[in-house]
Amino acid sequence: MQLRGWVRTVRAQKDVSFVEVNDGSSLSGIQAVVTSDAEGASVLANGDITTGASVVIEGDVVESPGGKQKVEVKATSVRLVGSADASTFPLQKKRHTLEFLRGIAHLRPRTNTIGAVMRVRNQLAYATHTFFQSHDFTYVNTPIVTASDCEGAGEQFQVTTLLNGADGAAAAPAPAPASTAEVAAAAAAAAEQGAAVKALKEKKKAGEATKEEVDEAVKTLLELKATAEALASPVAAAGAPASREVPRNKDGSVDYAQDFFSKPSYLTVSGQLNAEIYACAMRDVYTFGPTFRAENSNTSRHLAEFWMVEPELAFADLQDDMDCAEAYLKHCVAHVLEHCDEDLAFFEKNISKDNLRERLRSVAAQDFARITYTEAVEHVVAAAESGAKKFEFPVEWGADLQSEHERYLTEVVFENRPVIVRDYPKGIKAFYMRENDDGKTVAAMDMLVPGVGELMGGSQREERLDVLERRIEEVGLEKETYWWYLDLRRYGSVPHAGFGLGFERLVQYCTGVENIRDVIPFPRFPGSAEF
Amino acid sequence: MQLRGWVRTVRAQKDVSFVEVNDGSSLSGIQAVVTSDAEGASVLANGDITTGASVVIEGDVVESPGGKQKVEVKATSVRLVGSADASTFPLQKKRHTLEFLRGIAHLRPRTNTIGAVMRVRNQLAYATHTFFQSHDFTYVNTPIVTASDCEGAGEQFQVTTLLNGADGAAAAPAPAPASTAEVAAAAAAAAEQGAAVKALKEKKKAGEATKEEVDEAVKTLLELKATAEALASPVAAAGAPASREVPRNKDGSVDYAQDFFSKPSYLTVSGQLNAEIYACAMRDVYTFGPTFRAENSNTSRHLAEFWMVEPELAFADLQDDMDCAEAYLKHCVAHVLEHCDEDLAFFEKNISKDNLRERLRSVAAQDFARITYTEAVEHVVAAAESGAKKFEFPVEWGADLQSEHERYLTEVVFENRPVIVRDYPKGIKAFYMRENDDGKTVAAMDMLVPGVGELMGGSQREERLDVLERRIEEVGLEKETYWWYLDLRRYGSVPHAGFGLGFERLVQYCTGVENIRDVIPFPRFPGSAEF
């Protein structure tokens, strides 16, 4: 067989060397045994094969006499592909802290921990697709840039081309000058369209084309010409004024008419409202894409950029929603238990503070507890009053549950079972959640899991036009902003429900990794967009 | 059975009505036959069941006497779920133009064409995952926001919080005030951390904790306190100055130290460089995520936001890369042929200008042609010189091929076969592509397909540190900017290669839909970030 990968460790003895090679496909890698008669064995004698070097080793798989691994490769040839200077290569044999590794995000996937995290992450992503596809959900790509706002779910990043010219050439990366080929291609496109316009005008004379068709073609031609000219000009940046000032209206406000999208635009905080559009046309759908928060939180639980899974079910109520959320989590957990045993064992031994696989197995096996918010508050109040448990914060009906309360529920009351809490007071939930008949609560649900706390949150959506309009007014939003969202209730409205899962939280839950920055390949947080 | 969906058409006769119900799961939907004895049949008599209304119909599946469909549902009960006022509902029975539908992106998935597009798109996305997962590729989420630049592949959107305060409250959506619960949660987190710091200090006294651990905990505490304070304050916007002016340095340049990421940050134009990091640690990987171009192109071929698939193979050369690209496209095509026959037949009849399924079948069945760029130029020049074909633009060695040349190659020379063109002149390709031994060309490849033109582009990456450094200098880029990219060549470098596919182009290719704005749920282009 042929081993191709990166050297983790080398133990060179007089006549034989042991080289541990890892290609990232599994935690343990394979040990190659190289004796001096192997072709190219001199690279070992020379000390060129060091930790971090890339190698190709050919040989035969044999049973390993050592206890550490079952098989090893008896090398017939060894080839050094790329060296790694031991005096500067940052990843040496010793264990590095996860914090240190964050500073070398381009090398950390070569470590045991980050490699294992990314294999589990990959399997969870695939399990997400196999689950929803096998249940006939349609995958929908909701937009990343949006001029809409999802319930003010959080601070938003602005997306703009207005600053392109506002800082001279120093700050923005110099746009690569358009290559001659690009300029020529743009000119060619314009020329082609010119010919098309000509032909169309002839056709119009012959009565075979309408004025609208000609006008449309001319419009396209003008746009193509503008593009070609912009490309040919070395200074003009697309859509951006070449001045150092942000363009302003007469009243001093920013002139967004000059921005790329002609109005203030933002990075999405949730694809839910867009997913509802598709659920109200194609029944069950799901999203799986990046979402953003511009909140200045430097904690181990928050990222500025993270991936979310947001299923949306049509002709469905909160019960269906909870059933789906529970089945989805169980599927994910069963999938990683089946495909990532070696990695999970590694986390269990080195990272997670509990018996990880045991915990996951029990999640997959048992029904989740389901209680109302009101019952949850009663549990907490009773524990506080009896002195059975001391809480930092009191709770009373109408306030959100603190993480200490949520942990008490999942860990103590329900003995490390996931708990779904439903029917929250409407005052602490978003306007689009369906009002219950009591007039005080909404059909919202949070799934709480031991260790992580809230893993998913969802709701049945308000499908009654009049109720939704009233709720929008009550919370002080503008009905006009939500015209298309209201249209879904105006034309063929259906009961529907969905939930959102922070994908990184799921990876944390299945690995026990404490800091969310270690479960995403390139974490973004205040002050950090490196790599 | 129970039918749940939206009414497409109603034909009411005296004693019997025919209601075509569609739930987006297939093109044709199901016809329900409702006689006056069915429960709730009065809603039909009253005229409440109109195009666009949502209904639940129960009944028995019976053979259809009409020729149009094989089966129909003989209704036992009919229930109107949500009405759709026929006088205002924009989607009437007649056929609407795709341009009209773009203006009602929230309703267009309820049409035959957009529904079919999204079902094919869903299957192509799933085929992408099944292909790469079954070939042991790891799915990697590369970052969306980045301070790096991928070879100046295009104009970039800037991501910022600096404009948040620059326009008063009018332009930016009012940030939702933090709820009491959020404020309390932040305060609780700070308090918890305070207790942890206290405990740690005690431990340090007892020699059980290090100074570094205490310092780290204190740092976190300060951050949490800052977060809690910011949340409690009604004015402070995260990371943004509350002034109406963009903050400036003394020299007048924008003060990016005050921006969220502390430096100018952009939306990614490609995940390739990041994918290389993971390929150089875990072997074969792939990305599938959104990418962005701030180019002011108002054409039917460009979007400001689109999804890309970018596989990256380690220990691989251009040959492996081409093999992978060809196998991937064949897999996708075979998958939609298997799962989307009804939709493909619809496109064949109404949209695409060729025999769509025949074309796709032939792609799946035959080997792609593979030629060098030099051979491609020879073909074009020969045709032009012999007069066999007239081109708008001449071609000479060193210039990029125009779309008319590409079409001549795939459609005429290779008789509607996909063609992979390789070994392009280095002057028209990016710096990271591997230099061939001739010193003039690079190991780049483009896959051309009849109809669409370039569908994928890829290359073997330059893995030799000295050559890459020289190339970076030659094209006028800064080595310092690419420090981590160069590190991949410094430590355990391996030959690797990859390609990029614009996912929407693939959807166009498999449906025949001409305008790229019609194959993505919510298209973004200059002046448009609606919905």
Side-chain angles (χ1 to χ4, degrees):
Chain A
M1 75 168 292
Q2 197 182 53
L3 271 181
R4 303 194 282 189
W6 292 267
V7 173
R8 286 290 172 83
T9 59
V10 191
R11 277 184 302 129
Q13 293 173 2
K14 196 155 187 284
D15 299 317
V16 60
S17 297
F18 300 91
V19 184
E20 199 196 317
V21 179
N22 192 298
D23 69 358
S25 64
S26 72
L27 187 82
S28 49
I30 292 190
Q31 173 168 288
V33 182
V34 188
T35 48
S36 52
D37 57 338
E39 197 187 320
S42 60
V43 290
L44 273 156
N46 299 344
D48 292 339
I49 302 281
T50 56
T51 297
S54 50
V55 293
V56 174
I57 296 178
E58 304 209 30
D60 307 308
V61 180
V62 297
E63 219 172 296
S64 178
K68 213 181 144 202
Q69 58 275 319
K70 280 199 185 118
V71 296
E72 58 189 26
V73 168
K74 185 164 173 7
T76 52
S77 82
V78 181
R79 184 162 62 85
L80 173 67
V81 178
S83 61
D85 184 347
S87 67
T88 61
F89 184 56
L91 289 174
Q92 293 304 323
K93 205 181 153 181
K94 68 163 191 147
R95 188 181 286 192
H96 300 283
T97 66
L98 289 171
E99 191 176 6
F100 169 79
L101 294 178
R102 265 169 243 147
I104 48 168
H106 64 309
L107 298 174
R108 69 174 188 166
R110 302 188 191 182
T111 62
N112 280 343
T113 304
I114 302 300
V117 165
M118 295 309 161
R119 284 187 294 273
V120 171
R121 186 183 168 103
N122 171 63
Q123 290 298 342
L124 286 170
Y126 195 46
T128 297
H129 286 294
T130 56
F131 177 81
F132 289 111
Q133 292 290 336
S134 69
H135 288 82
D136 291 328
F137 284 59
T138 301
Y139 179 51
V140 173
N141 293 128
T142 49
I144 311 302
V145 179
T146 177
S148 305
D149 186 21
C150 182
E151 54 134 353
E155 291 290 333
Q156 291 181 295
F157 287 104
Q158 197 159 348
V159 175
T160 184
T161 50
L162 289 182
L163 289 174
N164 281 4
D167 198 33
S179 69
T180 323
E182 282 172 310
V183 175
E192 272 185 41
Q193 184 67 17
V197 167
K198 220 173 184 173
L200 213 52
K201 282 183 177 166
E202 291 299 322
K203 273 178 128 181
K204 183 170 166 265
K205 273 186 207 160
E208 291 166 4
T210 65
K211 183 173 177 304
E212 285 70 32
E213 285 175 296
V214 175
D215 287 351
E216 185 64 24
V218 169
K219 200 178 136 209
T220 305
L221 173 60
L222 292 176
E223 288 163 355
L224 286 171
K225 278 190 173 167
T227 303
E229 278 164 25
L231 267 181
S233 148
V235 274
S243 112
R244 286 171 64 92
E245 293 300 325
V246 173
R248 304 251 172 203
N249 296 311
K250 280 187 183 155
D251 65 0
S253 59
V254 174
D255 181 11
Y256 283 108
Q258 293 193 42
D259 207 351
F260 189 92
F261 294 110
S262 305
K263 55 169 73 175
S265 305
Y266 303 89
L267 290 181
T268 184
V269 294
S270 163
Q272 178 203 316
L273 304 196
N274 298 88
E276 285 186 53
I277 286 176
Y278 273 75
C280 292
M282 307 185 73
R283 306 259 327 241
D284 302 346
V285 299
Y286 69 111
T287 76
F288 185 7
T291 51
F292 305 84
R293 294 284 185 288
E295 270 142 37
N296 198 4
S297 338
N298 250 312
T299 77
S300 62
R301 286 171 54 83
H302 296 92
L303 290 169
E305 172 181 320
F306 56 99
W307 286 65
M308 267 185 97
V309 178
E310 296 184 282
E312 190 73 31
L313 294 72
F315 291 94
D317 60 17
L318 191 66
Q319 191 69 39
D320 300 312
D321 201 36
M322 294 189 294
D323 291 347
C324 178
E326 179 170 338
Y328 167 52
L329 180 60
K330 284 179 169 171
H331 174 86
C332 286
V333 162
H335 184 92
V336 293
L337 281 168
E338 185 182 339
H339 292 92
C340 304
D341 187 63
E342 188 190 16
D343 291 323
L344 295 182
F346 169 82
F347 290 121
E348 200 171 284
K349 194 173 158 211
N350 298 287
I351 303 279
S352 89
K353 284 166 182 156
D354 60 356
N355 190 334
L356 178 65
R357 285 176 294 179
E358 191 52 41
R359 164 162 64 81
L360 295 179
R361 262 182 231 116
S362 93
V363 164
Q366 69 190 327
D367 287 344
F368 294 5
R370 297 186 185 187
I371 57 173
T372 64
Y373 164 86
T374 303
E375 288 163 351
V377 169
E378 284 166 4
H379 278 296
V380 173
V381 167
E385 285 182 353
S386 74
K389 171 83 186 170
K390 228 173 111 48
F391 297 105
E392 184 99 14
F393 288 86
V395 75
E396 56 174 354
W397 201 98
D400 220 341
L401 298 172
Q402 301 298 323
S403 57
E404 57 171 347
H405 308 138
E406 295 179 343
R407 280 173 49 193
Y408 173 73
L409 290 169
T410 53
E411 291 167 15
V412 179
V413 178
F414 292 100
E415 297 171 335
N416 290 318
R417 253 166 89 195
V419 180
I420 301 179
V421 181
R422 59 177 290 178
D423 299 328
Y424 282 81
K426 69 176 175 181
I428 56 171
K429 290 290 180 182
F431 73 91
Y432 51 71
M433 299 186 178
R434 191 178 197 279
E435 201 169 273
N436 287 325
D437 290 341
D438 61 15
K440 294 189 300 184
T441 61
V442 289
M445 64 107 171
D446 281 353
M447 183 191 289
L448 314 176
V449 295
V452 167
E454 185 192 324
L455 187 63
M456 305 180 192
S459 68
Q460 183 171 345
R461 320 308 186 184
E462 184 56 74
E463 90 281 12
R464 297 163 294 189
L465 182 62
D466 54 339
V467 180
L468 185 60
E469 287 184 324
R470 170 167 59 75
R471 289 290 292 146
I472 287 177
E473 278 170 18
E474 276 174 14
V475 300
L477 295 170
E478 300 280 342
K479 270 202 305 194
E480 292 66 31
T481 314
Y482 295 95
W483 67 274
W484 53 263
Y485 192 67
L486 290 167
D487 263 7
L488 301 181
R489 281 72 183 171
R490 194 168 278 126
Y491 304 115
S493 185
V494 296
H496 59 292
F499 61 90
L501 163 85
F503 186 63
E504 283 72 25
R505 291 269 168 89
L506 178 63
V507 181
Q508 286 184 281
Y509 180 65
C510 292
T511 57
V513 170
E514 282 211 338
N515 196 318
I516 198 165
R517 297 176 187 177
D518 300 323
V519 298
I520 190 166
F522 301 95
R524 267 72 181 106
F525 47 90
S528 179
E530 279 295 337
F531 304 101
Chain B
M1 76 168 290
Q2 197 181 54
L3 271 181
R4 303 193 284 190
W6 292 266
V7 173
R8 285 290 172 83
T9 59
V10 192
R11 279 186 298 130
Q13 293 174 0
K14 196 157 187 285
D15 298 316
V16 59
S17 297
F18 300 93
V19 184
E20 200 197 317
V21 179
N22 193 298
D23 68 358
S25 64
S26 73
L27 188 81
S28 49
I30 292 190
Q31 172 169 287
V33 182
V34 188
T35 47
S36 53
D37 57 336
E39 198 188 320
S42 58
V43 290
L44 273 155
N46 299 344
D48 293 339
I49 303 281
T50 56
T51 297
S54 49
V55 293
V56 175
I57 295 178
E58 304 207 31
D60 306 307
V61 180
V62 296
E63 219 172 294
S64 178
K68 213 180 142 201
Q69 58 274 320
K70 281 200 186 118
V71 296
E72 58 187 26
V73 168
K74 179 155 179 15
T76 52
S77 82
V78 180
R79 186 161 61 84
L80 172 67
V81 178
S83 61
D85 183 347
S87 67
T88 61
F89 184 55
L91 290 174
Q92 292 306 322
K93 206 181 157 184
K94 68 165 191 146
R95 190 182 284 193
H96 301 283
T97 66
L98 290 170
E99 192 177 3
F100 169 77
L101 294 179
R102 264 169 243 146
I104 47 167
H106 64 308
L107 297 175
R108 68 175 188 166
R110 302 188 191 180
T111 64
N112 280 342
T113 305
I114 302 299
V117 164
M118 295 309 160
R119 281 187 296 272
V120 171
R121 185 181 170 107
N122 171 62
Q123 289 298 341
L124 286 170
Y126 194 46
T128 296
H129 287 294
T130 57
F131 176 81
F132 289 112
Q133 292 290 337
S134 69
H135 288 83
D136 291 328
F137 284 59
T138 302
Y139 178 52
V140 174
N141 292 128
T142 49
I144 310 303
V145 179
T146 177
S148 307
D149 186 20
C150 182
E151 57 134 351
E155 290 290 333
Q156 293 181 294
F157 287 104
Q158 197 158 349
V159 175
T160 184
T161 50
L162 289 182
L163 288 175
N164 280 5
D167 199 33
S179 69
T180 323
E182 282 174 310
V183 174
E192 271 184 40
Q193 184 66 16
V197 166
K198 218 171 183 177
L200 214 51
K201 282 184 176 166
E202 290 299 320
K203 271 177 128 183
K204 184 170 166 263
K205 272 186 203 159
E208 291 166 4
T210 66
K211 183 172 176 307
E212 285 69 32
E213 287 176 295
V214 174
D215 287 350
E216 186 62 26
V218 169
K219 201 177 135 209
T220 306
L221 174 60
L222 292 176
E223 290 164 355
L224 286 171
K225 278 189 173 167
T227 303
E229 279 164 25
L231 268 182
S233 147
V235 274
S243 113
R244 286 171 63 92
E245 292 301 323
V246 174
R248 305 253 171 201
N249 297 310
K250 279 187 184 156
D251 66 359
S253 59
V254 173
D255 181 11
Y256 283 108
Q258 294 191 42
D259 207 350
F260 189 92
F261 294 110
S262 306
K263 55 168 74 175
S265 305
Y266 303 90
L267 289 182
T268 185
V269 294
S270 162
Q272 178 201 317
L273 304 195
N274 297 87
E276 285 187 53
I277 286 176
Y278 272 77
C280 292
M282 305 185 74
R283 306 257 330 237
D284 303 345
V285 299
Y286 69 111
T287 74
F288 186 7
T291 52
F292 305 84
R293 294 284 186 287
E295 269 143 38
N296 199 4
S297 341
N298 251 311
T299 78
S300 62
R301 287 170 52 83
H302 297 92
L303 289 170
E305 171 181 320
F306 56 100
W307 285 65
M308 269 186 95
V309 178
E310 296 185 283
E312 190 72 31
L313 294 73
F315 292 94
D317 60 17
L318 191 66
Q319 192 68 40
D320 302 312
D321 202 35
M322 294 188 295
D323 292 346
C324 178
E326 179 170 338
Y328 167 53
L329 181 60
K330 285 178 169 172
H331 173 87
C332 286
V333 163
H335 185 92
V336 292
L337 281 168
E338 186 183 337
H339 291 92
C340 304
D341 188 62
E342 188 190 17
D343 291 322
L344 295 182
F346 169 81
F347 291 121
E348 202 171 282
K349 193 172 160 214
N350 299 288
I351 304 278
S352 89
K353 284 163 183 159
D354 60 355
N355 190 333
L356 177 65
R357 283 175 296 178
E358 191 52 42
R359 164 161 64 79
L360 295 179
R361 264 183 229 115
S362 93
V363 164
Q366 69 189 329
D367 288 343
F368 293 5
R370 296 185 186 189
I371 58 173
T372 65
Y373 164 86
T374 303
E375 289 163 351
V377 169
E378 285 166 4
H379 278 296
V380 173
V381 168
E385 286 181 354
S386 75
K389 171 84 186 169
K390 227 173 112 48
F391 297 104
E392 185 100 14
F393 288 87
V395 76
E396 57 174 354
W397 201 98
D400 219 341
L401 300 172
Q402 301 298 323
S403 57
E404 57 171 346
H405 308 138
E406 294 180 343
R407 281 173 47 192
Y408 173 72
L409 291 168
T410 53
E411 290 167 15
V412 180
V413 179
F414 293 99
E415 298 170 334
N416 289 319
R417 253 166 86 197
V419 181
I420 300 178
V421 180
R422 57 177 291 176
D423 298 329
Y424 282 80
K426 68 177 176 183
I428 56 171
K429 289 290 181 182
F431 73 91
Y432 52 71
M433 299 187 177
R434 192 179 195 279
E435 202 170 272
N436 287 326
D437 290 344
D438 61 15
K440 294 191 298 185
T441 61
V442 288
M445 63 105 170
D446 280 354
M447 182 191 288
L448 314 176
V449 295
V452 167
E454 186 193 324
L455 187 62
M456 306 182 192
S459 68
Q460 183 171 346
R461 319 309 185 183
E462 185 56 76
E463 89 282 12
R464 295 162 298 188
L465 182 62
D466 54 339
V467 180
L468 185 59
E469 287 184 324
R470 171 166 60 72
R471 289 289 293 145
I472 287 177
E473 278 169 18
E474 276 173 14
V475 299
L477 294 171
E478 300 280 341
K479 271 202 304 194
E480 291 66 31
T481 314
Y482 295 94
W483 68 272
W484 54 263
Y485 192 66
L486 291 166
D487 262 8
L488 301 181
R489 282 72 183 169
R490 195 168 277 126
Y491 303 115
S493 186
V494 296
H496 60 291
F499 61 90
L501 163 85
F503 186 64
E504 282 73 23
R505 291 270 167 88
L506 177 64
V507 181
Q508 286 184 282
Y509 181 65
C510 292
T511 57
V513 170
E514 283 211 338
N515 196 317
I516 198 166
R517 297 176 188 178
D518 300 323
V519 297
I520 189 166
F522 302 95
R524 266 75 181 103
F525 48 91
S528 179
E530 278 296 338
F531 303 102

